[in-house]
Every structure is written in structure tokens, then in C-alpha cells.
């Protein structure tokens, strides 16, 4: 299954007022890169100094770059109906739609996938996820560099997802299939790669598609029937405890 990692650089964050200044896309699959596309775009306005400084794009280059309407057909053909991969790809697809190019394939957000597979990460920017996964990401805020980083991050996260227990994947696929969640397509794809085999649910450590608690673990908590009052003094002592200081980022007494 091919995917298209895409990234845009823009004059700002508002798709109703700002314009695209660079577009890059990478078509790839689990075997590697298939093809790349990249182009600067003339925004028909002066490039603000802060954007030029952030991206490293020379405003003079944009004066001779094509307008987006000139390359829109090329971008549309490159993306086709393949799934879009990116860090908050809704940002990019919204700008593309504002420029007259509708994307019809599902979108896979690396931020969202990392939230599922790496919930312990205190930050889930593309750079933070890449660093956690050991992926080099030296150049930032250029469309091709960001698209390439998103590709590598997605593949690493996909590999982790595919390594999940077969029953867990099957159950996640079953639940997601009844929703409009874009990741349901990815779950279906990965679940199809590892169909459930007879006896999977009886494997040690797996119960009904979920990881069994280790021996000696406490029983699951039962939900309370109603609110349970906590004395203010007890709450204050809890918040002042070493455990609270470790659990709460940026703790201040």
C-alpha cells in the first residue's frame, strides 16, 4: 500500500488569508521511497522576514516560482487517492482545499498515532517523536525535510503498531470499522496482514485480544457508585508528596 507524506510551507497559519510558498510530497511504501515531488510557490505577496528566517527560503526565489494554480494538477496527480501522512496533515489539506485542490484519501496523523503508541511522551511535536524514535531530523521548516521526517516517523510507528498482538489488532480493527476515524483504514490494512489464527486468543498473556495482567497484579478497580469526599488536608498532603512532584510536569507548590 503506497502512502504520500506531504508538507507545506506557508506565509502564515490562516488558510483564508495566507498562501502556500512551498509544497513537497514523498510517495512511499514499507519498502522505501517510490518518488518525490517538490516545488516553491509564488504567493503573490512579499515574504515576511520572520517566515524567511524560519524557513530559510530566499524571497527572490519565490518571485520566479510558479503560482500554485500552475502546479495544482501535478500535485493532485501525485497524491491521487493514496493515504496522506503527516504531522497534523489537516493543516496541509485545508490549505490545499483553499487553493482549489481537494484530497480524497484518508489522512494519517503522526501526532495522533504517537499518542496511541507512545502515550508517555511529554511532547509530541514531529521533532520530539523523531528524537524518541532515534530518527535524525537536522533540517526543519522546509517542506521536503519535514515530509521526509514524517515518512520515517510514520513507518517507525506503523512497525510498532504491526507488532501488536494479533487479537488486539483484530479487536481494534473491529471497533474502528464502525466509526469515521481515519485510522480505521490503517488498522484494517495492518490487521489484514496478520489475520487471526485459530488458538490466538488462548496464547499465554492474551485474553480476548488484550494483554493479560502479570501474575500478582492487583485486581482491576471497580467504578464508584457515587462521589467520594476527600478531606482537604488529605488532598493537600497528596499534592505535596514526592509522587505528585514526579508525576506533574512543571510542579509548583
Amino acid at each position: 500500500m503506497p502512502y504520500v507524506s506531504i508538507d507545506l510551507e506557508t506565509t502564515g497559519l490562516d488558510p483564508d488569508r495566507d498562501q502556500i510558498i512551498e509544497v513537497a510530497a514523498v510517495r512511499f511504501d514499507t519498502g522505501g521511497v517510490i518518488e518525490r515531488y517538490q516545488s516553491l510557490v509564488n504567493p503573490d505577496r512579499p515574504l515576511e522576514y520572520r517566515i524567511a528566517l524560519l524557513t530559510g527560503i530566499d524571497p527572490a526565489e519565490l518571485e520566479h516560482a510558479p503560482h500554485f494554480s500552475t502546479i495544482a494538477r501535478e500535485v493532485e496527480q501525485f497524491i491521487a487517492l493514496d493515504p496522506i501522512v503527516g504531522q497534523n496533515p489537516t493543516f496541509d489539506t485545508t490549505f490545499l482545499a483553499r487553493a482549489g485542490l481537494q484530497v480524497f484519501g484518508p489522512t494519517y496523523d503522526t501526532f495522533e498515532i504517537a499518542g496511541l503508541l507512545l502515550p508517555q511522551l511529554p511532547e509530541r511535536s514531529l521533532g520530539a517523536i523523531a528524537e524518541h524514535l532515534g530518527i535524525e531530523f537536522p533540517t526543519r521548516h522546509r517542506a521536503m525535510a519535514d515530509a521526509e521526517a514524517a515518512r520515517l516517523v510514520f513507518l517507525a510507528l506503523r512497525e510498532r503498531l504491526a507488532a501488536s498482538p494479533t487479537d488486539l489488532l483484530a479487536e481494534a480493527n473491529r471497533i474502528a470499522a464502525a466509526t469515521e476515524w481515519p485510522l480505521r483504514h490503517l488498522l484494517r490494512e495492518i490487521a489484514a496482514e496478520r489475520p487471526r489464527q485459530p488458538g490466538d486468543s488462548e496464547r499465554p498473556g492474551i485474553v480476548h485480544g488484550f494483554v493479560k495482567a502479570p501474575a500478582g497484579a492487583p485486581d482491576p478497580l471497580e467504578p464508584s457508585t457515587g462521589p467520594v469526599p476527600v478531606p482537604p488536608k488529605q488532598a493537600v498532603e497528596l499534592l505535596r508528596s514526592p509522587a505528585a512532584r514526579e508525576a506533574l510536569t512543571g510542579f509548583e507548590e
Side-chain angles (χ1 to χ4, degrees), residues 54 188 202 209 212 244:
L54 177 68
R188 181 177 64 226
E202 284 73 43
K212 183 190 294 182

mmCIF file of all heavy atoms in Angstrom, residues 54 188 202 209 212 244:
data_model
loop_
_atom_site.group_PDB
_atom_site.id
_atom_site.type_symbol
_atom_site.label_atom_id
_atom_site.label_comp_id
_atom_site.label_asym_id
_atom_site.label_seq_id
_atom_site.Cartn_x
_atom_site.Cartn_y
_atom_site.Cartn_z
ATOM 1 N N LEU A 54 12.551 31.732 9.366
ATOM 2 C CA LEU A 54 12.137 30.421 9.871
ATOM 3 C C LEU A 54 12.426 29.312 8.861
ATOM 4 O O LEU A 54 12.926 28.243 9.211
ATOM 5 C CB LEU A 54 10.639 30.440 10.206
ATOM 6 C CG LEU A 54 10.023 29.122 10.687
ATOM 7 C CD1 LEU A 54 10.575 28.743 12.063
ATOM 8 C CD2 LEU A 54 8.503 29.220 10.732
ATOM 9 N N ARG A 188 -7.280 -1.593 9.470
ATOM 10 C CA ARG A 188 -7.776 -2.671 8.615
ATOM 11 C C ARG A 188 -6.649 -3.245 7.762
ATOM 12 O O ARG A 188 -6.530 -4.465 7.607
ATOM 13 C CB ARG A 188 -8.903 -2.157 7.730
ATOM 14 C CG ARG A 188 -9.500 -3.241 6.810
ATOM 15 C CD ARG A 188 -10.659 -2.699 6.011
ATOM 16 N NE ARG A 188 -10.228 -1.657 5.100
ATOM 17 C CZ ARG A 188 -10.852 -0.491 4.944
ATOM 18 N NH1 ARG A 188 -11.928 -0.206 5.642
ATOM 19 N NH2 ARG A 188 -10.409 0.407 4.089
ATOM 20 N N GLU A 202 -5.998 -18.039 22.905
ATOM 21 C CA GLU A 202 -5.565 -18.883 24.004
ATOM 22 C C GLU A 202 -4.069 -18.769 24.276
ATOM 23 O O GLU A 202 -3.533 -19.443 25.139
ATOM 24 C CB GLU A 202 -5.878 -20.365 23.706
ATOM 25 C CG GLU A 202 -7.344 -20.726 23.866
ATOM 26 C CD GLU A 202 -8.193 -20.174 22.734
ATOM 27 O OE1 GLU A 202 -7.754 -20.261 21.585
ATOM 28 O OE2 GLU A 202 -9.278 -19.628 23.018
ATOM 29 N N GLY A 209 -8.026 -10.586 23.244
ATOM 30 C CA GLY A 209 -7.413 -9.519 22.470
ATOM 31 C C GLY A 209 -6.711 -8.465 23.289
ATOM 32 O O GLY A 209 -6.246 -7.478 22.757
ATOM 33 N N LYS A 212 -2.865 -9.686 29.132
ATOM 34 C CA LYS A 212 -3.233 -10.141 30.476
ATOM 35 C C LYS A 212 -2.333 -9.472 31.500
ATOM 36 O O LYS A 212 -1.138 -9.294 31.285
ATOM 37 C CB LYS A 212 -3.089 -11.647 30.572
ATOM 38 C CG LYS A 212 -3.521 -12.214 31.931
ATOM 39 C CD LYS A 212 -3.139 -13.674 32.076
ATOM 40 C CE LYS A 212 -3.883 -14.542 31.105
ATOM 41 N NZ LYS A 212 -3.552 -15.975 31.285
ATOM 42 N N ALA A 244 3.620 13.172 43.603
ATOM 43 C CA ALA A 244 2.982 14.232 42.824
ATOM 44 C C ALA A 244 4.026 15.073 42.109
ATOM 45 O O ALA A 244 3.850 15.471 40.958
ATOM 46 C CB ALA A 244 2.130 15.109 43.739
#
